[in-house]
Amino acid sequence: MIGKDIFHAANLLKQGDVVAIPTETVYGLAGNAFNTDAVLKIFTVKNRPHFNPLIVHTNTIEKIESFITSFPQELKKLASLWPGPITILLPKSNKIHDLITAGAAHVAVRIPNHPLTLELLSNLDFPLCAPSANPFGYISPTTAVHVEKQLGDKISYILDGGQCDVGIESTIIKLNINNKIEILRTGGIPTEQIASITGYQPEIEVYSERPDAPGMLKSHYSPSIPLIIGDINTLLENYNTKKIALLNFNKPVQHASVIFQITLSPKGNLNEAATNLFSALHELDASNAEIIIATRVPDIGIGKAINDRLMRAAANKHF
Ligand code: TXA
Ligand code: MG
């Protein structure tokens, strides 16, 4: 069921149930982080492997400090971006179960910037584990209806906060052994903004397929139709015998094989493109096309995160 009742959502969460919640990035599938059964239920509903750890969400730094052992100064500077689309890896105390971190010593934490969810969190005396509310490996949801379509039969409540503003998951950062900020996942906070706070260019870990360094699986966000990225005109020539769905950045393309097409931002605005990205992928996937063709966007600001998601959505797809 979809609704806007935060007290109903809070009651379900207090009983150990899972509830989909809105954030400014994507919808999350939330459960009580201090209740192992609720945490296990998140993995089951998402069909998510246990080696992939969960982000813990709450609404104040004081609450965060109650379940970590220290908050290094270098990372605290970045916490000034909360509430907002940044997730910080911090050393966990034993209040955080190993299930949440997949056995790692650091827990990923964030304060999301969505009025409904902040109000919900302020009514709870426990934090919420929340991965994106999609079946593992599939396209992330940016509306309550996306969640309903993907997980509606498995969860009892979806808290409807409208369309997610940012539209792309949070940027994940950690402190490396040299005490420097490193980006584990590009996301809603652009790398340039992090660099201007730290005073240096953070390293970006592109992806990993090692289960002991989870988080960045190469293939993710995948539609069920094969998605290919590259130069649009070349791809249109290569696949002109197929029914094509096309994702362009700011200008529609005319071609006889294109049966459906979405423009991410007619004005060429990267923030608007990010807001629309996952909705567009959901729609393209629901078309009758045999293949989705997409182009990269300019690789600056949030464009880096858009290109990252497109690359992962296109990974491992053979045609
Ligand atoms: O914007 C977001 O971050 C959204 C909303 C719901 O907050 N959440 C989200 O969660 O994207 P999820 O689970 O779909 O992606 C979280 C990523 C995963 O790739 C996971 O492996 C990584 O964060 N992660 C979580 N905890 C970690 C940890 N302790 N160490 C390393 N990576 C971690
Ligand atoms: Mg996800």
Side-chain angles (χ1 to χ4, degrees):
M1 196 175 76
I2 298 182
K4 293 178 190 296
D5 185 349
I6 59 163
F7 296 103
H8 182 54
N11 281 333
L12 290 168
L13 290 163
K14 285 174 192 166
Q15 287 158 27
D17 208 348
V18 297
V19 171
I21 57 165
T23 82
E24 79 282 32
T25 59
V26 300
Y27 275 72
L29 179 64
N32 179 351
F34 293 159
N35 176 332
T36 317
D37 290 338
V39 177
L40 280 170
K41 192 161 178 193
I42 294 173
F43 283 100
T44 308
V45 168
K46 261 192 77 105
N47 197 17
R48 179 178 176 114
H50 285 267
F51 66 72
N52 202 353
L54 304 174
I55 298 176
V56 174
H57 300 67
T58 189
N59 65 317
T60 69
I61 293 199
E62 292 69 45
K63 287 186 184 172
I64 290 171
E65 281 175 334
S66 75
F67 58 76
I68 60 170
T69 56
S70 73
F71 204 143
Q73 203 48 42
E74 191 66 9
L75 290 171
K76 214 161 202 172
K77 284 195 232 163
L78 276 305
S80 62
L81 297 167
W82 282 334
I86 187 153
T87 294
I88 304 183
L89 258 60
L90 291 164
K92 77 175 194 75
S93 78
N94 58 13
K95 280 180 117 174
I96 298 292
H97 198 283
D98 280 346
L99 254 180
I100 295 175
T101 64
H106 289 77
V107 58
V109 187
R110 99 175 178 100
I111 302 181
N113 191 14
H114 191 288
L116 264 192
T117 291
L118 283 172
E119 197 179 337
L120 171 68
L121 288 164
S122 73
N123 280 292
L124 300 174
D125 57 7
F126 49 83
L128 296 174
C129 283
S132 52
N134 50 283
F136 182 69
Y138 197 62
I139 307 167
S140 301
T142 51
T143 66
V145 171
H146 292 158
V147 182
E148 166 110 278
K149 282 195 183 137
Q150 300 186 115
L151 296 176
D153 56 342
K154 296 199 172 79
I155 56 181
S156 48
Y157 200 60
I158 300 167
L159 188 62
D160 186 0
Q163 185 180 15
C164 302
D165 274 356
V166 175
I168 275 201
E169 295 87 347
S170 59
T171 302
I172 304 179
I173 59 162
K174 71 165 192 185
L175 213 53
N176 68 19
I177 44 168
N178 303 316
N179 264 341
K180 294 280 191 229
I181 303 287
E182 205 171 296
I183 296 179
L184 293 181
R185 176 177 73 182
T186 53
I189 297 286
T191 309
E192 294 88 336
Q193 197 177 346
I194 294 179
S196 87
I197 294 174
T198 56
Y200 56 84
Q201 201 56 41
E203 257 184 53
I204 304 178
E205 193 176 302
V206 184
Y207 66 83
S208 168
E209 296 198 88
R210 285 169 295 146
D212 62 345
M216 295 287 81
L217 292 165
K218 187 176 172 200
S219 170
H220 220 74
Y221 314 102
S222 301
S224 42
I225 305 174
L227 184 151
I228 317 271
I229 44 173
D231 174 65
I232 294 268
N233 290 322
T234 312
L235 292 174
L236 285 172
E237 279 322 301
N238 291 351
Y239 295 100
N240 65 13
T241 59
K242 304 286 175 198
K243 285 191 277 179
I244 298 173
L246 196 142
L247 181 67
N248 72 72
F249 174 43
N250 57 359
K251 241 190 0 265
V253 176
Q254 306 301 327
H255 192 281
S257 305
V258 175
I259 62 157
F260 182 61
Q261 172 161 203
I262 294 182
T263 302
L264 281 177
S265 169
K267 287 176 284 187
N269 178 306
L270 287 169
N271 289 324
E272 183 183 37
T275 307
N276 293 333
L277 178 70
F278 287 132
S279 276
L281 288 177
H282 280 278
E283 275 190 65
L284 292 158
D285 202 21
S287 72
N288 284 322
E290 295 163 281
I291 185 168
I292 301 171
I293 283 177
T295 173
R296 282 191 182 76
V297 302
D299 206 47
I300 48 166
I302 202 167
K304 261 198 175 37
I306 297 175
N307 289 335
D308 168 87
R309 303 307 186 269
L310 285 173
M311 194 189 79
R312 289 178 213 278
N316 297 339
K317 288 285 182 230
H318 302 290
F319 198 75

